[in-house]
Short mmCIF file of all heavy atoms in Angstrom, two decimals:
data_model
loop_
_atom_site.label_atom_id
_atom_site.label_comp_id
_atom_site.label_asym_id
_atom_site.label_seq_id
_atom_site.Cartn_x
_atom_site.Cartn_y
_atom_site.Cartn_z
N LYS W 163 8.63 6.43 19.01
CA LYS W 163 9.97 6.82 19.43
C LYS W 163 10.18 6.60 20.92
O LYS W 163 11.32 6.38 21.35
CB LYS W 163 10.28 8.26 19.04
CG LYS W 163 9.33 9.31 19.56
CD LYS W 163 9.85 10.73 19.26
CE LYS W 163 10.13 11.00 17.81
NZ LYS W 163 8.93 11.11 16.97
N GLY W 164 9.12 6.62 21.71
CA GLY W 164 9.27 6.30 23.11
C GLY W 164 9.66 4.85 23.34
O GLY W 164 10.43 4.53 24.25
N LEU W 165 9.14 3.96 22.51
CA LEU W 165 9.49 2.54 22.61
C LEU W 165 10.86 2.25 22.00
O LEU W 165 11.60 1.39 22.48
CB LEU W 165 8.42 1.70 21.93
CG LEU W 165 7.02 1.80 22.56
CD1 LEU W 165 5.99 1.09 21.70
CD2 LEU W 165 7.02 1.23 23.97
N HIS W 166 11.20 2.98 20.95
CA HIS W 166 12.51 2.78 20.32
C HIS W 166 13.66 3.20 21.22
O HIS W 166 14.82 2.92 20.93
CB HIS W 166 12.57 3.54 18.99
CG HIS W 166 11.79 2.89 17.90
ND1 HIS W 166 11.06 3.60 16.97
CD2 HIS W 166 11.61 1.59 17.59
CE1 HIS W 166 10.48 2.77 16.14
NE2 HIS W 166 10.79 1.54 16.49
N ALA W 167 13.36 3.88 22.33
CA ALA W 167 14.40 4.23 23.28
C ALA W 167 14.91 3.01 24.05
O ALA W 167 15.94 3.09 24.71
CB ALA W 167 13.88 5.28 24.26
N LEU W 168 14.18 1.90 23.95
CA LEU W 168 14.55 0.67 24.65
C LEU W 168 15.35 -0.23 23.73
O LEU W 168 15.02 -0.39 22.54
CB LEU W 168 13.31 -0.06 25.13
CG LEU W 168 12.41 0.70 26.11
CD1 LEU W 168 11.15 -0.11 26.41
CD2 LEU W 168 13.16 1.02 27.40
N ALA W 169 16.37 -0.88 24.28
CA ALA W 169 17.24 -1.74 23.48
C ALA W 169 16.49 -2.94 22.91
O ALA W 169 16.84 -3.46 21.85
CB ALA W 169 18.42 -2.22 24.33
N GLU W 170 15.43 -3.38 23.61
CA GLU W 170 14.71 -4.59 23.17
C GLU W 170 13.83 -4.35 21.94
O GLU W 170 13.40 -5.32 21.30
CB GLU W 170 13.80 -5.11 24.28
CG GLU W 170 14.53 -5.54 25.54
CD GLU W 170 14.52 -4.45 26.60
OE1 GLU W 170 14.60 -3.26 26.22
OE2 GLU W 170 14.42 -4.79 27.78
N VAL W 171 13.52 -3.12 21.63
CA VAL W 171 12.56 -2.83 20.57
C VAL W 171 13.29 -2.62 19.25
O VAL W 171 14.13 -1.73 19.14
CB VAL W 171 11.72 -1.59 20.92
CG1 VAL W 171 10.69 -1.33 19.83
CG2 VAL W 171 11.02 -1.80 22.26
N PRO W 172 12.98 -3.41 18.23
CA PRO W 172 13.67 -3.25 16.94
C PRO W 172 13.28 -1.93 16.27
O PRO W 172 12.19 -1.41 16.49
CB PRO W 172 13.17 -4.45 16.12
CG PRO W 172 11.84 -4.79 16.72
CD PRO W 172 11.97 -4.49 18.19
N TYR W 173 14.19 -1.41 15.47
CA TYR W 173 13.92 -0.20 14.69
C TYR W 173 13.84 -0.60 13.23
O TYR W 173 14.84 -0.64 12.52
CB TYR W 173 15.01 0.85 14.92
CG TYR W 173 14.62 2.23 14.43
CD1 TYR W 173 14.10 3.17 15.32
CD2 TYR W 173 14.77 2.60 13.10
CE1 TYR W 173 13.74 4.45 14.89
CE2 TYR W 173 14.42 3.86 12.66
CZ TYR W 173 13.91 4.79 13.55
OH TYR W 173 13.55 6.04 13.12
N ALA W 174 12.64 -0.95 12.80
CA ALA W 174 12.44 -1.41 11.43
C ALA W 174 10.97 -1.28 11.08
O ALA W 174 10.10 -1.42 11.93
CB ALA W 174 12.88 -2.88 11.29
N PRO W 175 10.67 -1.04 9.79
CA PRO W 175 9.28 -0.86 9.38
C PRO W 175 8.54 -2.19 9.27
O PRO W 175 9.15 -3.23 9.02
CB PRO W 175 9.39 -0.19 8.02
CG PRO W 175 10.68 -0.72 7.47
CD PRO W 175 11.60 -0.84 8.66
N ASP W 176 7.24 -2.14 9.43
CA ASP W 176 6.39 -3.30 9.18
C ASP W 176 5.88 -3.19 7.74
O ASP W 176 5.07 -2.33 7.42
CB ASP W 176 5.21 -3.33 10.16
CG ASP W 176 4.36 -4.58 10.01
OD1 ASP W 176 3.48 -4.58 9.12
OD2 ASP W 176 4.59 -5.53 10.76
N LEU W 177 6.36 -4.06 6.87
CA LEU W 177 6.07 -3.94 5.44
C LEU W 177 4.62 -4.24 5.12
O LEU W 177 4.03 -3.65 4.21
CB LEU W 177 6.99 -4.86 4.64
CG LEU W 177 8.49 -4.53 4.70
CD1 LEU W 177 9.28 -5.48 3.82
CD2 LEU W 177 8.74 -3.09 4.30
N GLN W 178 3.99 -5.16 5.85
CA GLN W 178 2.60 -5.50 5.56
C GLN W 178 1.69 -4.31 5.84
O GLN W 178 0.78 -4.02 5.07
CB GLN W 178 2.16 -6.70 6.39
CG GLN W 178 0.76 -7.20 6.04
CD GLN W 178 0.66 -7.68 4.61
OE1 GLN W 178 1.28 -8.67 4.22
NE2 GLN W 178 -0.12 -6.98 3.80
N THR W 179 1.95 -3.61 6.94
CA THR W 179 1.13 -2.44 7.24
C THR W 179 1.32 -1.36 6.18
O THR W 179 0.35 -0.71 5.76
CB THR W 179 1.50 -1.88 8.62
OG1 THR W 179 1.27 -2.88 9.61
CG2 THR W 179 0.66 -0.66 8.97
N SER W 180 2.54 -1.17 5.71
CA SER W 180 2.78 -0.19 4.65
C SER W 180 2.09 -0.59 3.36
O SER W 180 1.54 0.26 2.64
CB SER W 180 4.29 -0.02 4.42
OG SER W 180 4.91 0.58 5.53
N ALA W 181 2.09 -1.88 3.04
CA ALA W 181 1.42 -2.35 1.83
C ALA W 181 -0.09 -2.14 1.94
O ALA W 181 -0.74 -1.67 1.00
CB ALA W 181 1.74 -3.83 1.60
N ASP W 182 -0.65 -2.48 3.08
CA ASP W 182 -2.09 -2.26 3.29
C ASP W 182 -2.44 -0.78 3.18
O ASP W 182 -3.47 -0.41 2.61
CB ASP W 182 -2.50 -2.78 4.67
CG ASP W 182 -2.50 -4.31 4.74
OD1 ASP W 182 -2.40 -4.96 3.69
OD2 ASP W 182 -2.60 -4.83 5.86
N PHE W 183 -1.59 0.06 3.72
CA PHE W 183 -1.80 1.50 3.67
C PHE W 183 -1.85 1.98 2.22
O PHE W 183 -2.70 2.80 1.84
CB PHE W 183 -0.66 2.18 4.43
CG PHE W 183 -0.71 3.67 4.46
CD1 PHE W 183 -1.49 4.35 5.37
CD2 PHE W 183 0.08 4.42 3.59
CE1 PHE W 183 -1.50 5.73 5.41
CE2 PHE W 183 0.07 5.80 3.63
CZ PHE W 183 -0.72 6.46 4.54
N LEU W 184 -0.96 1.45 1.39
CA LEU W 184 -0.90 1.87 -0.01
C LEU W 184 -2.16 1.51 -0.78
O LEU W 184 -2.58 2.25 -1.67
CB LEU W 184 0.31 1.22 -0.70
CG LEU W 184 1.60 2.01 -0.73
CD1 LEU W 184 2.69 1.20 -1.41
CD2 LEU W 184 1.42 3.35 -1.42
N VAL W 185 -2.78 0.38 -0.47
CA VAL W 185 -3.98 -0.03 -1.21
C VAL W 185 -5.25 0.37 -0.46
O VAL W 185 -6.34 -0.10 -0.77
CB VAL W 185 -3.98 -1.55 -1.48
CG1 VAL W 185 -2.79 -1.94 -2.34
CG2 VAL W 185 -3.98 -2.36 -0.19
N LEU W 186 -5.10 1.27 0.52
CA LEU W 186 -6.23 1.84 1.27
C LEU W 186 -6.98 0.81 2.09
O LEU W 186 -8.18 0.96 2.36
CB LEU W 186 -7.21 2.56 0.32
CG LEU W 186 -6.60 3.63 -0.58
CD1 LEU W 186 -7.69 4.31 -1.40
CD2 LEU W 186 -5.81 4.65 0.21
N MET W 187 -6.28 -0.25 2.48
CA MET W 187 -6.88 -1.25 3.35
C MET W 187 -7.13 -0.65 4.73
O MET W 187 -6.29 0.07 5.26
CB MET W 187 -5.95 -2.46 3.48
CG MET W 187 -6.59 -3.66 4.14
SD MET W 187 -7.58 -4.63 2.99
CE MET W 187 -6.32 -5.38 1.99
N PRO W 188 -8.28 -0.91 5.34
CA PRO W 188 -8.49 -0.44 6.71
C PRO W 188 -7.42 -0.97 7.65
O PRO W 188 -6.88 -2.07 7.45
CB PRO W 188 -9.87 -1.02 7.07
CG PRO W 188 -10.52 -1.29 5.76
CD PRO W 188 -9.42 -1.66 4.81
N ALA W 189 -7.10 -0.18 8.66
CA ALA W 189 -6.06 -0.57 9.60
C ALA W 189 -6.40 -1.90 10.26
O ALA W 189 -7.55 -2.15 10.64
CB ALA W 189 -5.87 0.51 10.66
N ALA W 190 -5.40 -2.78 10.39
CA ALA W 190 -5.59 -4.03 11.12
C ALA W 190 -5.75 -3.73 12.61
O ALA W 190 -5.51 -2.61 13.07
CB ALA W 190 -4.41 -4.96 10.88
N GLU W 191 -6.14 -4.72 13.37
CA GLU W 191 -6.50 -4.50 14.78
C GLU W 191 -5.36 -3.88 15.59
O GLU W 191 -5.50 -2.81 16.15
CB GLU W 191 -6.97 -5.81 15.41
CG GLU W 191 -7.63 -5.64 16.76
CD GLU W 191 -8.99 -4.95 16.70
OE1 GLU W 191 -9.49 -4.66 15.59
OE2 GLU W 191 -9.55 -4.68 17.76
N THR W 192 -4.22 -4.56 15.66
CA THR W 192 -3.14 -4.02 16.50
C THR W 192 -1.84 -3.72 15.78
O THR W 192 -1.04 -2.94 16.30
CB THR W 192 -2.83 -4.98 17.67
OG1 THR W 192 -2.40 -6.25 17.14
CG2 THR W 192 -4.05 -5.19 18.55
N PRO W 193 -1.52 -4.29 14.61
CA PRO W 193 -0.23 -3.97 13.99
C PRO W 193 -0.07 -2.48 13.72
O PRO W 193 -1.03 -1.76 13.45
CB PRO W 193 -0.27 -4.76 12.68
CG PRO W 193 -1.19 -5.89 12.94
CD PRO W 193 -2.24 -5.33 13.85
N SER W 194 1.18 -2.03 13.79
CA SER W 194 1.50 -0.63 13.50
C SER W 194 2.43 -0.59 12.30
O SER W 194 2.69 -1.60 11.65
CB SER W 194 2.18 0.02 14.72
OG SER W 194 3.54 -0.39 14.81
N PHE W 195 2.97 0.58 12.00
CA PHE W 195 3.92 0.72 10.90
C PHE W 195 5.31 0.27 11.29
O PHE W 195 6.23 0.35 10.47
CB PHE W 195 3.96 2.18 10.43
CG PHE W 195 2.77 2.58 9.60
CD1 PHE W 195 1.66 3.16 10.19
CD2 PHE W 195 2.74 2.35 8.23
CE1 PHE W 195 0.56 3.54 9.44
CE2 PHE W 195 1.64 2.71 7.47
CZ PHE W 195 0.55 3.30 8.07
N TRP W 196 5.48 -0.23 12.52
CA TRP W 196 6.80 -0.61 13.03
C TRP W 196 6.81 -2.06 13.50
O TRP W 196 5.88 -2.51 14.18
CB TRP W 196 7.19 0.30 14.19
CG TRP W 196 7.31 1.74 13.81
CD1 TRP W 196 6.32 2.69 13.84
CD2 TRP W 196 8.47 2.40 13.32
NE1 TRP W 196 6.81 3.90 13.41
CE2 TRP W 196 8.12 3.75 13.08
CE3 TRP W 196 9.79 1.98 13.06
CZ2 TRP W 196 9.04 4.69 12.60
CZ3 TRP W 196 10.70 2.92 12.59
CH2 TRP W 196 10.33 4.25 12.36
N GLN W 197 7.86 -2.77 13.15
CA GLN W 197 8.02 -4.14 13.63
C GLN W 197 8.12 -4.15 15.16
O GLN W 197 8.78 -3.31 15.76
CB GLN W 197 9.29 -4.76 13.04
CG GLN W 197 9.21 -5.13 11.58
CD GLN W 197 10.46 -5.84 11.10
OE1 GLN W 197 11.16 -6.49 11.88
NE2 GLN W 197 10.76 -5.71 9.82
N GLY W 198 7.46 -5.11 15.76
CA GLY W 198 7.55 -5.29 17.20
C GLY W 198 6.75 -4.29 18.00
O GLY W 198 6.80 -4.32 19.24
N ILE W 199 6.02 -3.41 17.33
CA ILE W 199 5.22 -2.40 18.04
C ILE W 199 3.77 -2.55 17.61
O ILE W 199 3.46 -2.60 16.42
CB ILE W 199 5.73 -0.98 17.73
CG1 ILE W 199 7.13 -0.79 18.33
CG2 ILE W 199 4.77 0.07 18.28
CD1 ILE W 199 7.73 0.58 18.04
N GLU W 200 2.88 -2.64 18.59
CA GLU W 200 1.46 -2.76 18.33
C GLU W 200 0.73 -1.52 18.83
O GLU W 200 1.21 -0.84 19.73
CB GLU W 200 0.89 -4.00 19.03
CG GLU W 200 1.52 -5.31 18.59
CD GLU W 200 1.02 -6.49 19.39
OE1 GLU W 200 -0.10 -6.97 19.11
OE2 GLU W 200 1.75 -6.92 20.31
N ARG W 201 -0.41 -1.24 18.23
CA ARG W 201 -1.20 -0.10 18.70
C ARG W 201 -2.36 -0.62 19.54
O ARG W 201 -2.88 -1.72 19.33
CB ARG W 201 -1.75 0.71 17.53
CG ARG W 201 -2.75 -0.05 16.68
CD ARG W 201 -3.45 0.82 15.65
NE ARG W 201 -4.54 0.04 15.02
CZ ARG W 201 -5.67 0.55 14.59
NH1 ARG W 201 -5.89 1.84 14.67
NH2 ARG W 201 -6.59 -0.21 14.05
N VAL W 202 -2.76 0.17 20.52
CA VAL W 202 -4.02 -0.08 21.21
C VAL W 202 -5.11 0.40 20.27
O VAL W 202 -5.14 1.57 19.90
CB VAL W 202 -4.09 0.67 22.55
CG1 VAL W 202 -5.45 0.45 23.21
CG2 VAL W 202 -2.96 0.24 23.47
N PRO W 203 -6.01 -0.48 19.83
CA PRO W 203 -7.03 -0.04 18.87
C PRO W 203 -7.96 1.00 19.48
O PRO W 203 -8.24 0.98 20.68
CB PRO W 203 -7.80 -1.34 18.55
CG PRO W 203 -6.88 -2.45 18.94
CD PRO W 203 -6.11 -1.93 20.11
N PRO W 204 -8.46 1.93 18.68
CA PRO W 204 -9.44 2.89 19.18
C PRO W 204 -10.67 2.18 19.75
O PRO W 204 -11.05 1.10 19.30
CB PRO W 204 -9.81 3.71 17.94
CG PRO W 204 -8.63 3.59 17.04
CD PRO W 204 -8.10 2.21 17.27
N GLY W 205 -11.29 2.79 20.76
CA GLY W 205 -12.50 2.23 21.34
C GLY W 205 -12.28 0.91 22.05
O GLY W 205 -13.23 0.13 22.19
N THR W 206 -11.04 0.68 22.52
CA THR W 206 -10.70 -0.62 23.11
C THR W 206 -9.95 -0.41 24.42
O THR W 206 -9.18 0.54 24.56
CB THR W 206 -9.81 -1.41 22.13
OG1 THR W 206 -10.51 -1.62 20.91
CG2 THR W 206 -9.42 -2.76 22.72
N ILE W 207 -10.18 -1.31 25.37
CA ILE W 207 -9.40 -1.33 26.60
C ILE W 207 -8.72 -2.69 26.70
O ILE W 207 -9.33 -3.74 26.45
CB ILE W 207 -10.27 -1.05 27.85
CG1 ILE W 207 -9.40 -0.99 29.10
CG2 ILE W 207 -11.41 -2.03 28.00
CD1 ILE W 207 -10.10 -0.39 30.30
N LEU W 208 -7.42 -2.67 26.99
CA LEU W 208 -6.63 -3.88 27.15
C LEU W 208 -6.28 -4.07 28.62
O LEU W 208 -5.94 -3.11 29.32
CB LEU W 208 -5.33 -3.80 26.34
CG LEU W 208 -5.42 -3.51 24.85
CD1 LEU W 208 -4.03 -3.52 24.22
CD2 LEU W 208 -6.33 -4.51 24.16
N SER W 209 -6.38 -5.30 29.07
CA SER W 209 -5.99 -5.66 30.43
C SER W 209 -4.78 -6.59 30.33
O SER W 209 -4.89 -7.72 29.84
CB SER W 209 -7.15 -6.37 31.14
OG SER W 209 -6.79 -6.74 32.45
N VAL W 210 -3.62 -6.09 30.77
CA VAL W 210 -2.35 -6.80 30.60
C VAL W 210 -1.92 -7.43 31.92
O VAL W 210 -1.82 -6.74 32.94
CB VAL W 210 -1.26 -5.84 30.10
CG1 VAL W 210 0.05 -6.59 29.87
CG2 VAL W 210 -1.70 -5.12 28.84
N THR W 211 -1.69 -8.72 31.88
CA THR W 211 -1.10 -9.43 33.02
C THR W 211 0.22 -10.03 32.56
O THR W 211 0.61 -9.90 31.41
CB THR W 211 -2.03 -10.53 33.54
OG1 THR W 211 -2.19 -11.54 32.52
CG2 THR W 211 -3.40 -9.97 33.90
N ARG W 212 0.91 -10.72 33.47
CA ARG W 212 2.17 -11.35 33.09
C ARG W 212 2.00 -12.38 31.99
O ARG W 212 2.89 -12.58 31.16
CB ARG W 212 2.80 -12.04 34.31
CG ARG W 212 3.44 -11.11 35.31
CD ARG W 212 4.08 -11.90 36.44
NE ARG W 212 4.86 -11.05 37.34
CZ ARG W 212 4.36 -10.37 38.34
NH1 ARG W 212 3.05 -10.44 38.59
NH2 ARG W 212 5.14 -9.62 39.10
N SER W 213 0.84 -13.01 31.94
CA SER W 213 0.67 -14.15 31.03
C SER W 213 -0.21 -13.88 29.82
O SER W 213 -0.21 -14.68 28.88
CB SER W 213 0.08 -15.34 31.80
OG SER W 213 -1.17 -14.99 32.39
N ALA W 214 -0.98 -12.80 29.83
CA ALA W 214 -1.94 -12.62 28.74
C ALA W 214 -2.34 -11.16 28.61
O ALA W 214 -2.13 -10.34 29.51
CB ALA W 214 -3.18 -13.48 28.97
N ILE W 215 -2.95 -10.85 27.45
CA ILE W 215 -3.55 -9.55 27.21
C ILE W 215 -5.00 -9.78 26.79
O ILE W 215 -5.27 -10.41 25.77
CB ILE W 215 -2.81 -8.76 26.12
CG1 ILE W 215 -1.38 -8.46 26.55
CG2 ILE W 215 -3.55 -7.45 25.81
CD1 ILE W 215 -0.59 -7.66 25.53
N ALA W 216 -5.94 -9.30 27.61
CA ALA W 216 -7.36 -9.41 27.29
C ALA W 216 -7.83 -8.10 26.69
O ALA W 216 -7.45 -7.02 27.14
CB ALA W 216 -8.16 -9.74 28.54
N SER W 217 -8.67 -8.18 25.67
CA SER W 217 -9.11 -7.00 24.94
C SER W 217 -10.63 -6.91 24.97
O SER W 217 -11.33 -7.92 24.81
CB SER W 217 -8.62 -7.07 23.49
OG SER W 217 -9.16 -6.03 22.71
N ARG W 218 -11.15 -5.70 25.18
CA ARG W 218 -12.59 -5.48 25.11
C ARG W 218 -12.88 -4.21 24.31
O ARG W 218 -12.36 -3.14 24.63
CB ARG W 218 -13.21 -5.33 26.51
CG ARG W 218 -14.72 -5.04 26.48
CD ARG W 218 -15.33 -5.07 27.88
NE ARG W 218 -15.01 -3.91 28.68
CZ ARG W 218 -15.71 -2.76 28.69
NH1 ARG W 218 -16.78 -2.62 27.90
NH2 ARG W 218 -15.34 -1.76 29.46
N ARG W 219 -13.68 -4.35 23.26
CA ARG W 219 -14.10 -3.18 22.50
C ARG W 219 -15.34 -2.62 23.18
O ARG W 219 -16.39 -3.26 23.22
CB ARG W 219 -14.39 -3.56 21.05
CG ARG W 219 -14.68 -2.36 20.15
CD ARG W 219 -14.69 -2.76 18.69
NE ARG W 219 -13.38 -3.11 18.20
CZ ARG W 219 -12.46 -2.23 17.81
NH1 ARG W 219 -12.73 -0.94 17.90
NH2 ARG W 219 -11.30 -2.62 17.37
N TYR W 220 -15.22 -1.42 23.71
CA TYR W 220 -16.30 -0.89 24.54
C TYR W 220 -17.27 0.01 23.77
O TYR W 220 -18.37 0.28 24.25
CB TYR W 220 -15.72 -0.11 25.73
CG TYR W 220 -14.93 1.12 25.36
CD1 TYR W 220 -15.57 2.32 25.08
CD2 TYR W 220 -13.54 1.09 25.30
CE1 TYR W 220 -14.85 3.46 24.74
CE2 TYR W 220 -12.82 2.22 24.97
CZ TYR W 220 -13.48 3.40 24.69
OH TYR W 220 -12.76 4.51 24.33
N TRP W 221 -16.89 0.49 22.59
CA TRP W 221 -17.80 1.38 21.86
C TRP W 221 -18.72 0.55 20.98
O TRP W 221 -18.28 -0.04 20.00
CB TRP W 221 -17.01 2.38 21.02
CG TRP W 221 -17.89 3.39 20.34
CD1 TRP W 221 -18.80 4.21 20.93
CD2 TRP W 221 -17.96 3.66 18.94
NE1 TRP W 221 -19.44 4.99 19.99
CE2 TRP W 221 -18.94 4.68 18.76
CE3 TRP W 221 -17.30 3.16 17.82
CZ2 TRP W 221 -19.25 5.20 17.50
CZ3 TRP W 221 -17.61 3.68 16.57
CH2 TRP W 221 -18.58 4.68 16.42
N GLN W 222 -19.97 0.50 21.32
CA GLN W 222 -20.97 -0.28 20.59
C GLN W 222 -22.21 0.59 20.37
O GLN W 222 -23.21 0.46 21.09
CB GLN W 222 -21.34 -1.55 21.37
CG GLN W 222 -20.17 -2.48 21.67
CD GLN W 222 -19.64 -3.17 20.43
OE1 GLN W 222 -20.32 -3.26 19.42
NE2 GLN W 222 -18.41 -3.66 20.51
N PRO W 223 -22.17 1.51 19.42
CA PRO W 223 -23.31 2.41 19.21
C PRO W 223 -24.55 1.68 18.72
O PRO W 223 -24.46 0.60 18.12
CB PRO W 223 -22.79 3.39 18.15
CG PRO W 223 -21.74 2.63 17.42
CD PRO W 223 -21.09 1.74 18.44
N ALA W 224 -25.70 2.27 18.98
CA ALA W 224 -26.98 1.65 18.62
C ALA W 224 -27.33 1.95 17.17
O ALA W 224 -27.10 3.05 16.67
CB ALA W 224 -28.08 2.17 19.54
N ARG W 225 -27.92 0.94 16.53
CA ARG W 225 -28.47 1.13 15.18
C ARG W 225 -29.76 1.93 15.26
O ARG W 225 -30.41 1.99 16.31
CB ARG W 225 -28.77 -0.23 14.54
CG ARG W 225 -27.57 -0.92 13.89
CD ARG W 225 -28.00 -2.22 13.25
NE ARG W 225 -26.95 -2.76 12.39
CZ ARG W 225 -26.79 -2.46 11.11
NH1 ARG W 225 -27.65 -1.62 10.53
NH2 ARG W 225 -25.83 -2.99 10.41
N PRO W 226 -30.16 2.55 14.14
CA PRO W 226 -31.46 3.23 14.13
C PRO W 226 -32.60 2.27 14.46
O PRO W 226 -32.60 1.12 14.01
CB PRO W 226 -31.57 3.73 12.68
CG PRO W 226 -30.18 3.80 12.18
CD PRO W 226 -29.44 2.69 12.86
N ASP W 227 -33.53 2.73 15.26
CA ASP W 227 -34.66 1.90 15.69
C ASP W 227 -35.95 2.50 15.12
O ASP W 227 -36.37 3.58 15.52
CB ASP W 227 -34.72 1.86 17.22
CG ASP W 227 -35.84 0.98 17.74
OD1 ASP W 227 -36.54 0.35 16.91
OD2 ASP W 227 -36.03 0.94 18.97
N ARG W 228 -36.55 1.78 14.18
CA ARG W 228 -37.78 2.28 13.55
C ARG W 228 -38.93 2.37 14.56
O ARG W 228 -39.87 3.13 14.37
CB ARG W 228 -38.20 1.37 12.39
CG ARG W 228 -37.37 1.58 11.14
CD ARG W 228 -38.06 0.94 9.95
NE ARG W 228 -38.02 -0.50 10.01
CZ ARG W 228 -39.01 -1.31 9.67
NH1 ARG W 228 -40.17 -0.80 9.29
NH2 ARG W 228 -38.89 -2.62 9.74
N ALA W 229 -38.83 1.60 15.62
CA ALA W 229 -39.91 1.58 16.62
C ALA W 229 -39.73 2.64 17.71
O ALA W 229 -40.55 2.76 18.61
CB ALA W 229 -40.00 0.20 17.26
N ALA W 230 -38.63 3.40 17.61
CA ALA W 230 -38.38 4.41 18.64
C ALA W 230 -39.46 5.49 18.60
O ALA W 230 -39.97 5.83 17.53
CB ALA W 230 -37.01 5.04 18.42
N PRO W 231 -39.83 6.03 19.75
CA PRO W 231 -40.87 7.08 19.77
C PRO W 231 -40.38 8.32 19.03
O PRO W 231 -39.19 8.61 18.99
CB PRO W 231 -41.06 7.35 21.26
CG PRO W 231 -39.80 6.88 21.90
CD PRO W 231 -39.32 5.72 21.09
N PRO W 232 -41.30 9.07 18.44
CA PRO W 232 -40.93 10.30 17.71
C PRO W 232 -40.23 11.29 18.63
O PRO W 232 -40.53 11.37 19.82
CB PRO W 232 -42.27 10.83 17.21
CG PRO W 232 -43.20 9.67 17.27
CD PRO W 232 -42.74 8.81 18.40
N ARG W 233 -39.31 12.07 18.07
CA ARG W 233 -38.64 13.11 18.83
C ARG W 233 -38.20 14.20 17.87
O ARG W 233 -38.20 14.01 16.66
CB ARG W 233 -37.45 12.56 19.60
CG ARG W 233 -36.36 11.96 18.74
CD ARG W 233 -35.32 11.19 19.53
NE ARG W 233 -34.73 11.98 20.59
CZ ARG W 233 -33.82 11.49 21.44
NH1 ARG W 233 -33.46 10.22 21.37
NH2 ARG W 233 -33.29 12.26 22.36
N ASP W 234 -37.82 15.32 18.41
CA ASP W 234 -37.38 16.44 17.60
C ASP W 234 -35.88 16.28 17.33
O ASP W 234 -35.03 16.74 18.09
CB ASP W 234 -37.65 17.76 18.32
CG ASP W 234 -37.41 18.97 17.43
OD1 ASP W 234 -36.73 18.82 16.40
OD2 ASP W 234 -37.91 20.05 17.77
N TYR W 235 -35.55 15.62 16.22
CA TYR W 235 -34.15 15.36 15.90
C TYR W 235 -33.42 16.62 15.47
O TYR W 235 -32.19 16.70 15.59
CB TYR W 235 -34.04 14.27 14.84
CG TYR W 235 -34.26 12.89 15.40
CD1 TYR W 235 -35.51 12.28 15.37
CD2 TYR W 235 -33.21 12.20 16.01
CE1 TYR W 235 -35.71 11.02 15.91
CE2 TYR W 235 -33.40 10.94 16.56
CZ TYR W 235 -34.65 10.35 16.51
OH TYR W 235 -34.84 9.12 17.05
#
Side-chain angles (χ1 to χ4, degrees):
K163 57 172 56 71
L165 297 172
H166 285 142
L168 300 175
E170 298 98 323
V171 182
Y173 194 96
D176 185 276
L177 295 183
Q178 186 62 66
T179 300
S180 292
D182 288 349
F183 179 83
L184 267 178
V185 298
L186 306 184
M187 191 81 72
E191 192 69 4
T192 61
S194 77
F195 284 93
W196 298 90
Q197 286 185 27
I199 293 178
E200 299 175 78
R201 66 171 189 148
V202 177
T206 300
I207 184 166
L208 305 182
S209 179
V210 182
T211 64
R212 285 183 172 84
S213 58
I215 297 181
S217 173
R218 178 173 74 88
R219 186 169 291 278
Y220 64 82
W221 185 55
Q222 301 290 340
R225 277 182 168 272
D227 182 3
R228 283 195 289 140
R233 61 191 306 178
D234 189 342
Y235 283 95

